[in-house]
PDB file of all heavy atoms in Angstrom:
ATOM      1  N   SER A 120      59.240  99.507  82.853  1.00 95.00           N
ATOM      2  CA  SER A 120      58.634  99.546  81.520  1.00 95.00           C
ATOM      3  C   SER A 120      59.686 100.016  80.527  1.00 95.00           C
ATOM      4  O   SER A 120      60.263 101.099  80.685  1.00 95.00           O
ATOM      5  CB  SER A 120      57.418 100.490  81.503  1.00 95.00           C
ATOM      6  OG  SER A 120      56.870 100.574  80.202  1.00 95.00           O
ATOM      7  N   PHE A 121      59.946  99.218  79.514  1.00 95.00           N
ATOM      8  CA  PHE A 121      60.986  99.523  78.528  1.00 95.00           C
ATOM      9  C   PHE A 121      60.350  99.568  77.143  1.00 95.00           C
ATOM     10  O   PHE A 121      59.681  98.620  76.729  1.00 95.00           O
ATOM     11  CB  PHE A 121      62.092  98.472  78.568  1.00 95.00           C
ATOM     12  CG  PHE A 121      63.349  98.883  77.868  1.00 95.00           C
ATOM     13  CD1 PHE A 121      64.424  99.380  78.578  1.00 95.00           C
ATOM     14  CD2 PHE A 121      63.460  98.777  76.493  1.00 95.00           C
ATOM     15  CE1 PHE A 121      65.584  99.773  77.939  1.00 95.00           C
ATOM     16  CE2 PHE A 121      64.615  99.168  75.838  1.00 95.00           C
ATOM     17  CZ  PHE A 121      65.682  99.664  76.567  1.00 95.00           C
ATOM     18  N   THR A 122      60.565 100.669  76.428  1.00 96.00           N
ATOM     19  CA  THR A 122      59.919 100.859  75.131  1.00 96.00           C
ATOM     20  C   THR A 122      60.941 101.236  74.069  1.00 96.00           C
ATOM     21  O   THR A 122      61.681 102.213  74.226  1.00 96.00           O
ATOM     22  CB  THR A 122      58.856 101.965  75.206  1.00 96.00           C
ATOM     23  OG1 THR A 122      57.948 101.699  76.279  1.00 96.00           O
ATOM     24  CG2 THR A 122      58.076 102.042  73.892  1.00 96.00           C
ATOM     25  N   PHE A 123      61.005 100.449  73.005  1.00 95.00           N
ATOM     26  CA  PHE A 123      61.760 100.842  71.821  1.00 95.00           C
ATOM     27  C   PHE A 123      60.886 101.740  70.948  1.00 95.00           C
ATOM     28  O   PHE A 123      59.655 101.672  71.021  1.00 95.00           O
ATOM     29  CB  PHE A 123      62.195  99.606  71.021  1.00 95.00           C
ATOM     30  CG  PHE A 123      63.290  98.820  71.653  1.00 95.00           C
ATOM     31  CD1 PHE A 123      63.008  97.659  72.359  1.00 95.00           C
ATOM     32  CD2 PHE A 123      64.617  99.229  71.560  1.00 95.00           C
ATOM     33  CE1 PHE A 123      64.021  96.925  72.948  1.00 95.00           C
ATOM     34  CE2 PHE A 123      65.634  98.503  72.147  1.00 95.00           C
ATOM     35  CZ  PHE A 123      65.334  97.341  72.847  1.00 95.00           C
ATOM     36  N   ASP A 124      61.508 102.555  70.137  1.00 91.00           N
ATOM     37  CA  ASP A 124      60.778 103.489  69.279  1.00 91.00           C
ATOM     38  C   ASP A 124      59.746 102.754  68.418  1.00 91.00           C
ATOM     39  O   ASP A 124      60.068 101.789  67.727  1.00 91.00           O
ATOM     40  CB  ASP A 124      61.774 104.239  68.381  1.00 91.00           C
ATOM     41  CG  ASP A 124      61.110 105.364  67.608  1.00 91.00           C
ATOM     42  OD1 ASP A 124      60.066 105.866  68.061  1.00 91.00           O
ATOM     43  OD2 ASP A 124      61.646 105.742  66.550  1.00 91.00           O
ATOM     44  N   ASN A 125      58.477 103.205  68.503  1.00 80.00           N
ATOM     45  CA  ASN A 125      57.372 102.683  67.691  1.00 80.00           C
ATOM     46  C   ASN A 125      57.076 101.210  67.962  1.00 80.00           C
ATOM     47  O   ASN A 125      56.597 100.490  67.081  1.00 80.00           O
ATOM     48  CB  ASN A 125      57.657 102.870  66.190  1.00 80.00           C
ATOM     49  CG  ASN A 125      57.785 104.330  65.802  1.00 80.00           C
ATOM     50  OD1 ASN A 125      57.083 105.172  66.375  1.00 80.00           O
ATOM     51  ND2 ASN A 125      58.662 104.634  64.866  1.00 80.00           N
ATOM     52  N   GLN A 126      57.357 100.735  69.172  1.00 88.00           N
ATOM     53  CA  GLN A 126      57.043  99.353  69.535  1.00 88.00           C
ATOM     54  C   GLN A 126      56.250  99.323  70.834  1.00 88.00           C
ATOM     55  O   GLN A 126      56.248 100.293  71.603  1.00 88.00           O
ATOM     56  CB  GLN A 126      58.320  98.519  69.694  1.00 88.00           C
ATOM     57  CG  GLN A 126      59.055  98.265  68.388  1.00 88.00           C
ATOM     58  CD  GLN A 126      60.210  97.292  68.574  1.00 88.00           C
ATOM     59  OE1 GLN A 126      60.376  96.700  69.640  1.00 88.00           O
ATOM     60  NE2 GLN A 126      61.002  97.116  67.547  1.00 88.00           N
ATOM     61  N   GLN A 127      55.600  98.195  71.067  1.00 90.00           N
ATOM     62  CA  GLN A 127      54.876  98.022  72.309  1.00 90.00           C
ATOM     63  C   GLN A 127      55.871  97.890  73.466  1.00 90.00           C
ATOM     64  O   GLN A 127      56.930  97.286  73.310  1.00 90.00           O
ATOM     65  CB  GLN A 127      53.991  96.770  72.243  1.00 90.00           C
ATOM     66  CG  GLN A 127      52.844  96.867  71.254  1.00 90.00           C
ATOM     67  CD  GLN A 127      51.845  97.941  71.646  1.00 90.00           C
ATOM     68  OE1 GLN A 127      51.537  98.113  72.826  1.00 90.00           O
ATOM     69  NE2 GLN A 127      51.354  98.677  70.662  1.00 90.00           N
ATOM     70  N   PRO A 128      55.549  98.429  74.631  1.00 91.00           N
ATOM     71  CA  PRO A 128      56.488  98.367  75.758  1.00 91.00           C
ATOM     72  C   PRO A 128      56.629  96.959  76.314  1.00 91.00           C
ATOM     73  O   PRO A 128      55.687  96.167  76.305  1.00 91.00           O
ATOM     74  CB  PRO A 128      55.858  99.315  76.792  1.00 91.00           C
ATOM     75  CG  PRO A 128      54.396  99.338  76.445  1.00 91.00           C
ATOM     76  CD  PRO A 128      54.327  99.193  74.948  1.00 91.00           C
ATOM     77  N   ASP A 129      57.823  96.650  76.791  1.00 91.00           N
ATOM     78  CA  ASP A 129      58.091  95.421  77.527  1.00 91.00           C
ATOM     79  C   ASP A 129      58.168  95.755  79.007  1.00 91.00           C
ATOM     80  O   ASP A 129      58.621  96.839  79.384  1.00 91.00           O
ATOM     81  CB  ASP A 129      59.418  94.792  77.073  1.00 91.00           C
ATOM     82  CG  ASP A 129      59.357  94.257  75.656  1.00 91.00           C
ATOM     83  OD1 ASP A 129      58.280  93.763  75.277  1.00 91.00           O
ATOM     84  OD2 ASP A 129      60.374  94.353  74.945  1.00 91.00           O
ATOM     85  N   THR A 130      57.736  94.820  79.846  1.00 91.00           N
ATOM     86  CA  THR A 130      57.784  95.016  81.291  1.00 91.00           C
ATOM     87  C   THR A 130      58.720  93.995  81.906  1.00 91.00           C
ATOM     88  O   THR A 130      58.532  92.792  81.733  1.00 91.00           O
ATOM     89  CB  THR A 130      56.392  94.896  81.921  1.00 91.00           C
ATOM     90  OG1 THR A 130      55.513  95.855  81.332  1.00 91.00           O
ATOM     91  CG2 THR A 130      56.469  95.146  83.424  1.00 91.00           C
ATOM     92  N   LEU A 131      59.724  94.476  82.612  1.00 92.00           N
ATOM     93  CA  LEU A 131      60.683  93.625  83.285  1.00 92.00           C
ATOM     94  C   LEU A 131      60.454  93.697  84.787  1.00 92.00           C
ATOM     95  O   LEU A 131      60.309  94.797  85.343  1.00 92.00           O
ATOM     96  CB  LEU A 131      62.119  94.044  82.978  1.00 92.00           C
ATOM     97  CG  LEU A 131      62.698  93.687  81.603  1.00 92.00           C
ATOM     98  CD1 LEU A 131      62.078  94.553  80.510  1.00 92.00           C
ATOM     99  CD2 LEU A 131      64.203  93.837  81.604  1.00 92.00           C
TER     100      LEU A 131
END
Side-chain angles (χ1 to χ4, degrees):
S120 177
F121 195 99
T122 307
F123 287 100
D124 188 24
N125 298 325
Q126 291 187 8
Q127 293 295 321
D129 292 325
T130 302
L131 284 72

